[in-house]
């Protein structure tokens, strides 16, 4: 059987596939293949190991009749038309859990970075503008003991909550569609409604999936309800906040700072006003970017493909209905 890997992955993932008898084809370039090229590459392979956030839409599944399964190298699957995959009988798997701590670390890093204006201060040094122990200017703020609001207390949100409580004694509040009792057993977190999350959080960190319901949930109205001292952090998906409203809220002082690992679109253009502010920090979607995590993600994706090849269900399948149909 043949598998196509849409961008290079750590070698243990490739080795696992080869060891189980796959002929492996890899797009060696560092660029995402445009959809026509991806469709072309998938014409004669049995499986696709899809790296990154390139869209897999209805046209893709319609055009790739030979595919027997797709393994994503992400936990998020908002870029995939799962209904179309299911219609065509194609199981799709994701990579939950193995990236939760790494992504929570990036949320933490953004939270600290923005609260201490660390990126802005480091850029002053790079640009030869070292401010000689200015005692009253460009001061940051502490997060110790403050209230961390989590929008979407799932795997990554929980990891962040535990770190923030253990290391900084932060008070944790969260909003989900309903209470997460399991998480509440693991961390001292209080369920609040959306408005309470907005008005009570000193730092508000977004960890929900991107859905029709969460798209642009953080907009003008939401930022207006937040504290003027609040820091907004998003490591989930760029479309969950409305970028122009965020720029407005920061410029008018409606909120104090923002840290983003995700933007809409990605990449962010270098002339974006968010890159010029002293209370912002933008990372290029590096939540899961450690060697250890990316290796585990590659292995998990490979193992899902190997399971499907052996006639088993993909363990991390996200369109479970595909197996009910069969
Ligand atoms: N920056 C990066 O590199 C990474 C980003 N991500 C993003 O993080 C997201 C979360 O990942 P996990 O924690 O593993 O997912 P998860 O499924 O464990 O957690 C998501 C949480 O959001 C909640 N949620 C969904 N809709 C909601 C709504 N309308 N209102 C309030 N809460 C809602 C869910 O109930 C769940 O508790 C992924 O979907 C992905 O988009 C994930 C990994 C890396
Ligand atoms: O896993 C995800 O959803 C990402 O965004 C990248 O790891």
């Amino acid at each position: 059987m043949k598998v196509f890997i849409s961008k290079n992955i750590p070698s243990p993932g490739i080795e696992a596939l080869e060891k189980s008898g796959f002929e492996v084809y890899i797009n060696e370039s560092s660029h995402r293949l445009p959809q026509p090229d991806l469709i072309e590459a998938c014409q004669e392979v049995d499986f696709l190991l899809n790296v990154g956030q390139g869209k897999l839409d209805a046209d893709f599944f319609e055009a790739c009749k030979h595919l027997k399964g797709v393994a994503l190298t992400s936990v998020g699957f908002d870029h995939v038309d799962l209904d179309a995959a299911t219609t065509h009988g194609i199981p799709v798997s994701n990579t939950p859990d193995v990236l939760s701590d790494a992504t929570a670390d990036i949320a933490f890093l953004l939270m600290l970075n923005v609260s201490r204006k660390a990126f802005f201060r480091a850029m002053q040094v790079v640009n030869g503008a070292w401010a000689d122990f200015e005692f009253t200017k460009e001061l940051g703020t502490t997060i110790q003991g403050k209230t961390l609001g989590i929008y979407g207390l799932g795997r990554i949100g929980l990891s962040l909550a535990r770190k923030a409580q253990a290391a900084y004694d932060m008070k944790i509040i969260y909003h989900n569609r309903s209470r997460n009792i399991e998480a509440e057993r693991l961390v001292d977190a209080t369920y609040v409604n959306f408005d309470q999350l907005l008005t009570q959080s000193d730092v508000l960190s977004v960890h929900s999936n991107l859905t029709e319901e969460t798209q642009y949930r953080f907009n003008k109205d939401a930022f207006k309800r937040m504290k003027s001292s609040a820091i907004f952090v998003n490591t989930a998906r760029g479309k969950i906040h409305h970028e122009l409203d965020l720029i407005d809220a920061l410029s008018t002082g409606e909120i104090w700072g923002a840290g983003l690992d995700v933007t809409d679109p990605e990449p962010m253009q270098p002339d974006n006003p968010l890159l010029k502010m002293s209370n912002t920090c933008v990372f290029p979607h590096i939540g899961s970017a450690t060697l250890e995590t990316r290796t585990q993600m590659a292995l998990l994706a490979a193992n899902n493909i190997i399971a499907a090849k052996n006639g088993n269900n993909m363990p991390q399948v996200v369109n479970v209905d595909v197996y009910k149909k069969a």
Side-chain angles (χ1 to χ4, degrees):
M1 282 206 184
K2 297 177 185 167
V3 56
F4 181 68
I5 304 180
S6 69
K7 235 187 209 182
N8 218 341
I9 58 170
S11 54
I14 301 168
E15 285 155 19
L17 289 164
E18 285 174 341
K19 218 169 129 201
S20 83
F22 272 106
E23 265 178 63
V24 178
Y25 299 87
I26 306 177
N27 166 30
E28 301 278 2
S29 97
S30 55
H31 297 292
R32 179 188 295 171
L33 286 180
Q35 194 182 53
D37 296 359
L38 184 64
I39 289 176
E40 166 95 39
C42 289
Q43 285 312 296
E44 302 204 348
V45 297
D46 303 281
F47 294 96
L48 167 66
L49 195 154
N50 194 53
V51 181
Q53 306 295 312
K55 266 201 180 343
L56 298 180
D57 58 14
D59 291 345
F60 171 83
F61 289 108
E62 177 65 35
C64 297
K65 298 259 189 298
H66 196 73
L67 274 187
K68 298 177 180 64
V70 173
L72 308 175
T73 54
S74 60
V75 68
F77 44 79
D78 47 278
H79 55 301
V80 183
D81 187 334
L82 289 183
D83 289 342
T86 306
T87 302
H88 291 279
I90 300 175
V92 178
S93 67
N94 70 344
T95 57
D97 297 313
V98 294
L99 44 58
S100 299
D101 283 333
T103 308
D105 284 346
I106 288 298
F108 214 124
L109 190 54
L110 284 167
M111 185 158 97
L112 273 178
N113 210 320
V114 173
S115 72
R116 299 300 303 270
K117 300 193 177 190
F119 174 72
F120 171 75
R121 292 302 216 152
M123 286 312 289
Q124 285 186 320
V125 177
V126 171
N127 295 326
W130 181 303
D132 194 22
F133 209 75
E134 281 284 6
F135 212 74
T136 55
K137 290 189 185 146
E138 295 295 357
L139 299 183
T141 180
T142 186
I143 59 167
Q144 181 78 35
K146 296 231 173 117
T147 297
L148 169 63
I150 295 194
Y151 180 73
L153 188 71
R155 291 169 290 239
I156 298 169
L158 176 61
S159 172
L160 176 67
R162 297 179 88 176
K163 289 172 200 277
Q165 199 152 71
Y168 283 83
D169 197 23
M170 293 185 87
K171 178 184 169 201
I172 311 295
I173 58 175
Y174 76 98
H175 179 70
N176 273 24
R177 283 161 301 180
S178 55
R179 274 180 71 181
N180 185 341
I181 304 292
E182 193 57 39
E184 286 183 30
R185 280 198 201 102
L186 300 169
V187 72
D188 182 8
T190 306
Y191 182 79
V192 293
N193 65 33
F194 187 61
D195 194 58
Q196 289 168 319
L197 187 85
L198 295 174
T199 56
Q200 293 176 19
S201 298
D202 293 308
V203 180
L204 199 162
S205 193
V206 176
H207 298 285
S208 69
N209 336 69
L210 171 63
T211 62
E212 275 175 18
E213 216 181 309
T214 63
Q215 178 160 326
Y216 302 135
R217 193 74 167 104
F218 293 87
N219 55 16
K220 201 179 174 54
D221 295 338
F223 293 128
K224 242 191 204 113
R225 301 286 300 143
M226 288 172 65
K227 295 183 184 182
S228 56
S229 56
I231 295 172
F232 175 76
V233 173
N234 187 357
T235 57
R237 285 293 179 264
K239 271 197 165 64
I240 300 177
H241 66 264
H242 189 290
E243 188 179 282
L244 291 178
D245 290 354
L246 176 62
I247 294 170
D248 241 29
L250 287 162
S251 314
T252 57
E254 245 156 28
I255 66 169
W256 189 80
L260 307 175
D261 187 45
V262 286
T263 62
D264 176 39
E266 290 180 6
M268 177 180 262
Q269 293 307 303
D271 61 352
N272 192 299
L274 287 170
L275 301 176
K276 310 274 181 303
M277 298 176 179
S278 64
N279 293 353
T280 56
C281 178
V282 180
F283 292 150
H285 203 144
I286 55 168
S288 62
T290 69
L291 177 62
E292 294 85 348
T293 301
R294 289 277 164 88
T295 301
Q296 285 182 284
M297 290 162 75
L299 278 170
L300 197 54
N303 287 339
N304 274 275
I305 289 175
I306 293 166
K309 168 178 172 270
N310 293 339
N312 299 318
N313 289 358
M314 285 179 147
Q316 274 72 39
V317 70
V318 283
N319 55 339
V320 281
D321 286 353
V322 78
Y323 292 127
K324 288 185 194 144
K325 270 186 68 182

